[in-house]
Amino acid sequence: MNLVLSPANFLFPKTPLLPLSHPPRPSCKTPHKTLKPRAVQLESYPPPASDPPRRSDTGVLVIGAGLAGLAAATRLHASKIPFLLLEASDAVGGRVRTDTVDGFLLDRGFQIFITAYPEARKTLDYEALDLQKFYSGALVYSNGRFHTVSDPFRHFPDALKSLANPIGSVFDKLLIGAVRLRAVSRSDDEILTAEEIPIIELLRKTGFSDSIIDQFFRPFFGGIFFDRQLETTSRLFHFILKCLALGDNTLPAKGISSIPEQLAGKLPPDSVRLNSKVVSVDFANESEPPRVILQTGEILGGESGLIVAVEEPVAEKLLEGKIDKKPAGKAARGTACLYFSADRSPVRKPVLILNGSGTGIVNNMFFATDVAPSYAPEGKTLVSISVVGSCEDVPDEELTRVVIRELSGWYGTEVVESWKHLRTYRIGFAQPNQSPPTDLVRKRPGIGSGVYVCGDYRNSATFDGALVSGRRAAEALLKDRESFIKDRGLARVI
């Protein structure tokens, strides 16, 4: 008779456990309101708070159903490893969420999906996402006018016309092409392990003028990394530049949350528990992975391990002393995103619009329905406006007035004052701070005691980095699991 041995039964022997007691812009940061999510809901049934704490076990516990946690769960599922994915909120996605407000699709913060992300290409079904493309370039508002900056490899006639515009010199524009070609010629591993300096130092060292830096690079890459000072590592600059050269900027037709929803749709329905907030992790017993305590008082144990896939501040709290805290001075990147409805778009082109004026609070904006008409009811236009910094000292009404006043200078008072404010999102932790020094590929997921950590702060601060980090955490767990079996001369028959 063939004996099937599950490492979950002996990798961490069970012991009785007892419940525990438990650029200088306005800095814009108040919690946004709880909103009704558009995402398909996965049912979750935590025990009532009045019930006594109870202990239950599963194969692997994964905390956090953002992109990293979903990627980890997907990898475990592919290897037929039982797991339970715990999510504190009412839908999957973490920071990658979409809400429906008055028929408009509002992504929680400015988010664009680049099709050339290597891990995403292997993981996602692009056709099912129905990706809608941006124009390969940008409109830059400067000196009271809009100027086009185009990708010469995709819009050569437009690029020729733009050579004479005031957004940098002709040399600057030729230099962008040379830097792009160099990025494309290098492997991802070379880019992410290369010597690093802040982006601003790289641009100046490469020979770019102050004009192109201030009018284009600050609002463009400042909007991607929520960092107008361009202190982010040059590694990420080259990685994003390569992805932009090889792919398209897009939006899923049904909102950015279509990406995590697609990943969740591949998992067994009973493997995801929503509204299940983990409040503490207990490392008391060294012979098994730590158990977790939910806000309800329920106690869960993962016989085969624990994967912590929450954002950096939450991970630091849950795993206090187990992972390195970010160095002092590396504050998280925040943003505020304002949405308005309009009767029409004054641009009518699927293009990102940058503030290259050097003044004002708006960093970038776009008319979302020019890219994806499905983001608004028929006959309506959705306006998305982004500010770097979560503007904690500016009340919502004042922030809205400042933005309306500023954009009235761009498009005219009559046009902008007709817009109707829909929602403001303030996101204190939009991205981890990835200024040098960084370790974007070599950081090990395992931290001992059967615990593995993942998230964009453990890799690159991109959609792709989160996916890679989640997969690597699951693979590290699987590798340790197999090593345990081999070390004891045990075999599995599947």
Side-chain angles (χ1 to χ4, degrees), residues 217 360 433 475:
F217 285 113
N433 184 321
E475 289 178 347

Side-chain angles (χ1 to χ4, degrees), residues 60-77 85 119 123 263 306-310 440 443-446 452-460 462-478:
V60 178
L61 285 177
V62 183
I63 306 175
L67 293 183
L70 289 166
T74 300
R75 182 65 182 85
L76 294 172
H77 182 52
L85 179 56
E119 187 76 8
T123 307
L263 293 172
L306 172 67
I307 296 177
V308 179
V310 294
L440 305 183
K443 196 169 288 183
R444 296 175 63 84
Y452 305 82
V453 290
C454 57
D456 58 358
Y457 71 100
R458 306 285 296 184
N459 201 272
S460 66
T462 63
F463 279 39
D464 214 59
L467 294 172
V468 169
S469 182
R471 172 180 58 79
R472 286 180 175 169
E475 289 178 347
L477 182 150
L478 293 170

Side-chain angles (χ1 to χ4, degrees), residues 191-479:
I191 289 173
L192 296 176
T193 58
E195 290 187 11
E196 61 177 340
I197 55 177
I199 292 172
I200 187 64
E201 291 185 26
L202 172 72
L203 296 175
R204 288 171 176 159
K205 184 178 178 181
T206 303
F208 287 107
S209 70
D210 288 342
S211 171
I212 195 78
I213 290 173
D214 293 337
Q215 293 179 295
F216 176 72
F217 285 113
R218 284 194 193 279
F220 185 75
F221 283 95
I224 291 174
F225 301 121
F226 305 117
D227 169 28
R228 283 190 60 88
Q229 303 308 308
L230 301 181
E231 296 171 343
T232 301
T233 174
S234 54
R235 293 169 175 171
L236 278 180
F237 171 84
H238 285 124
F239 178 70
I240 291 295
L241 193 65
K242 177 181 178 180
C243 290
L244 290 170
L246 298 178
D248 296 301
N249 280 341
T250 68
L251 290 176
K254 294 183 180 180
I256 203 71
S257 65
S258 299
I259 294 172
E261 286 171 19
Q262 185 181 103
L263 293 172
K266 300 177 182 179
L267 305 176
D270 58 352
S271 66
V272 181
R273 283 183 53 176
L274 304 176
N275 302 305
S276 299
K277 183 177 181 179
V278 174
V279 294
S280 63
V281 179
D282 170 32
F283 291 88
N285 195 324
E286 294 296 331
S287 66
E288 61 177 36
R291 58 185 184 172
V292 304
I293 297 89
L294 304 187
Q295 194 171 44
T296 60
E298 183 179 3
I299 300 170
L300 297 174
E303 296 172 321
S304 296
L306 172 67
I307 296 177
V308 179
V310 294
E311 60 188 31
E312 187 175 20
V314 181
E316 288 177 348
K317 183 178 179 181
L318 290 177
L319 302 174
E320 189 170 2
K322 300 291 183 180
I323 59 174
D324 295 332
K325 289 189 176 183
K326 58 180 176 291
K330 294 187 74 168
R333 307 298 189 190
T335 184
C337 181
L338 295 85
Y339 285 103
F340 296 83
S341 68
D343 291 331
R344 65 180 182 85
S345 163
V347 174
R348 299 190 182 184
K349 188 175 184 179
V351 65
L352 184 65
I353 303 163
L354 307 176
N355 183 1
S357 70
T359 63
I361 194 172
V362 172
N363 183 75
N364 57 276
M365 65 168 298
F366 69 106
F367 296 90
T369 37
D370 286 347
V371 180
S374 52
Y375 266 58
E378 188 174 354
K380 290 292 184 179
T381 293
L382 178 62
V383 188
S384 173
I385 299 160
S386 294
V387 174
V388 173
S390 53
C391 295
E392 59 185 0
D393 298 327
V394 184
D396 278 0
E397 291 184 3
E398 176 62 19
L399 182 61
T400 300
R401 282 196 295 269
V402 169
V403 166
I404 287 292
R405 185 168 60 246
E406 184 174 332
L407 294 180
S408 293
W410 296 22
Y411 303 108
T413 301
E414 185 177 348
V415 171
V416 177
E417 289 191 349
S418 69
W419 296 352
K420 177 185 175 184
H421 179 247
L422 293 171
R423 193 77 71 194
T424 295
Y425 292 90
R426 300 169 186 265
I427 305 168
F429 187 88
Q431 278 187 22
N433 184 321
Q434 292 196 317
S435 57
T438 64
D439 180 358
L440 305 183
V441 297
R442 296 195 180 101
K443 196 169 288 183
R444 296 175 63 84
I447 61 171
S449 301
V451 181
Y452 305 82
V453 290
C454 57
D456 58 358
Y457 71 100
R458 306 285 296 184
N459 201 272
S460 66
T462 63
F463 279 39
D464 214 59
L467 294 172
V468 169
S469 182
R471 172 180 58 79
R472 286 180 175 169
E475 289 178 347
L477 182 150
L478 293 170
K479 182 178 179 181

Side-chain angles (χ1 to χ4, degrees), residues 12-47:
F12 298 99
K14 293 182 181 178
T15 57
L17 295 174
L18 297 175
L20 299 181
S21 40
H22 292 269
R25 295 204 174 220
S27 171
C28 308
K29 178 178 176 181
T30 58
H32 58 261
K33 299 176 182 177
T34 301
L35 304 171
K36 179 181 179 181
R38 184 198 60 75
V40 176
Q41 298 299 295
L42 300 172
E43 294 297 333
S44 174
Y45 300 101

Side-chain angles (χ1 to χ4, degrees), residues 142-208:
S142 180
N143 298 317
R145 295 181 57 193
F146 290 100
H147 306 278
T148 300
V149 176
S150 301
D151 181 341
F153 296 90
R154 301 185 191 186
H155 305 293
F156 186 67
D158 291 351
L160 277 180
K161 293 177 185 176
S162 69
L163 282 176
N165 73 31
I167 309 303
S169 65
V170 173
F171 176 75
D172 284 323
K173 291 159 188 173
L174 295 175
L175 195 55
I176 289 175
V179 172
R180 166 190 163 132
L181 287 172
R182 183 167 181 266
V184 169
S185 69
R186 301 162 72 193
S187 71
D188 295 337
D189 190 63
E190 284 180 293
I191 289 173
L192 296 176
T193 58
E195 290 187 11
E196 61 177 340
I197 55 177
I199 292 172
I200 187 64
E201 291 185 26
L202 172 72
L203 296 175
R204 288 171 176 159
K205 184 178 178 181
T206 303
F208 287 107

